[in-house]
Amino acid sequence: MTSSVFASAATAFARLVRAIPETSWDGPGLGDWDMRALVGHTSRSLITVSEYLRAPADHEDVDDAVAYYVWVREFMGSAGAEAINERGRQAGRDLGADPASVVDRLVARALADVENAGDPVISVIGGLGIRLSHYLQTRVFELTVHGVDIARAAGLDVELPADAVEQSAVLATRVAARLGQGETVLTALTGRSALPPGYSVV
């Protein structure tokens, strides 16, 4: 199930990249990223799947996607925002003159790598050990949330896959609950309060 949702999210991302107007590539993306850097950063959700499948881990440090994001919040806090931004910009440069074709190849490789991989424990960012099935849920989240960012920045009216949106929304809510912010999100979703300005679970 997880791999099929990942395939759905990855395929939708490739379709979205093909729809980006030529005039948008040097325009605004998200925060300090232009569109190219935003797409490059998002494409790393494909690249890392293929790379990390070649890096088996001998220990499982987190037991689900929620724990991964709780851990990442702390890890990224010490990693430095500028370093993260630069990785996105470099990934954007790596897309070259034909980003859509590069993304198509990344999608094909990632899906082929996942197809017969089973569910191994892999070593991801910071050497963290996590099962592939849990890591794929985080990649669905990244592809879907940044898919929304890309569509909005490019002025595209795109309907993202329902299965990917649902899985991402559930994961975000579970992360909020794990962080002790479940009531905040629950009351906002049921119209009883507004989320604090700038609120994010990641």
Side-chain angles (χ1 to χ4, degrees):
M1 177 61 178
T2 298
S3 61
S4 67
V5 181
F6 174 68
S8 179
T11 302
F13 171 58
R15 188 165 55 245
L16 175 60
V17 172
R18 289 194 295 272
I20 296 173
E22 286 297 324
T23 54
S24 294
W25 282 101
D26 295 324
L30 177 69
D32 293 332
W33 285 326
D34 62 9
M35 178 65 77
R36 176 175 285 274
L38 174 57
V39 173
H41 169 77
T42 309
S43 74
R44 285 188 51 76
S45 287
L46 305 167
I47 294 168
T48 57
V49 167
S50 294
E51 287 183 349
Y52 294 156
L53 272 170
R54 292 161 176 78
D58 56 9
H59 52 87
E60 190 174 358
D61 298 304
V62 293
D63 58 5
D64 63 12
V66 178
Y68 170 89
Y69 272 115
V70 172
W71 180 88
V72 163
R73 280 172 66 96
E74 297 183 7
F75 180 83
M76 289 303 185
S78 62
E82 184 50 38
I84 297 168
N85 286 340
E86 180 52 34
R87 279 197 295 273
R89 288 190 285 266
Q90 182 58 54
R93 291 189 288 268
D94 291 343
L95 294 175
D98 189 357
S101 293
V102 173
V103 168
D104 283 343
R105 289 195 295 272
L106 292 175
V107 168
R109 185 178 71 174
L111 295 186
D113 288 342
V114 166
E115 185 175 8
N116 298 310
D119 194 17
V121 180
I122 56 176
S123 181
V124 300
I125 185 171
L128 189 76
I130 184 174
R131 288 209 173 273
L132 174 63
S133 57
H134 300 315
Y135 186 67
L136 289 180
Q137 291 177 43
T138 73
R139 299 310 89 191
V140 169
F141 183 86
E142 298 292 330
L143 289 165
T144 304
V145 171
H146 286 311
V148 173
D149 295 330
I150 292 165
R152 289 180 175 178
L156 297 171
D157 185 12
V158 176
E159 185 173 340
L160 296 171
D163 55 356
V165 172
E166 178 181 349
Q167 187 179 103
S168 299
V170 170
L171 178 56
T173 304
R174 291 181 63 211
V175 172
R178 188 76 60 91
L179 293 171
Q181 302 162 1
E183 184 177 332
T184 298
V185 172
L186 179 61
T187 55
L189 290 174
T190 54
R192 286 160 173 76
S193 66
L195 289 173
Y199 176 82
S200 174
V201 297
V202 295

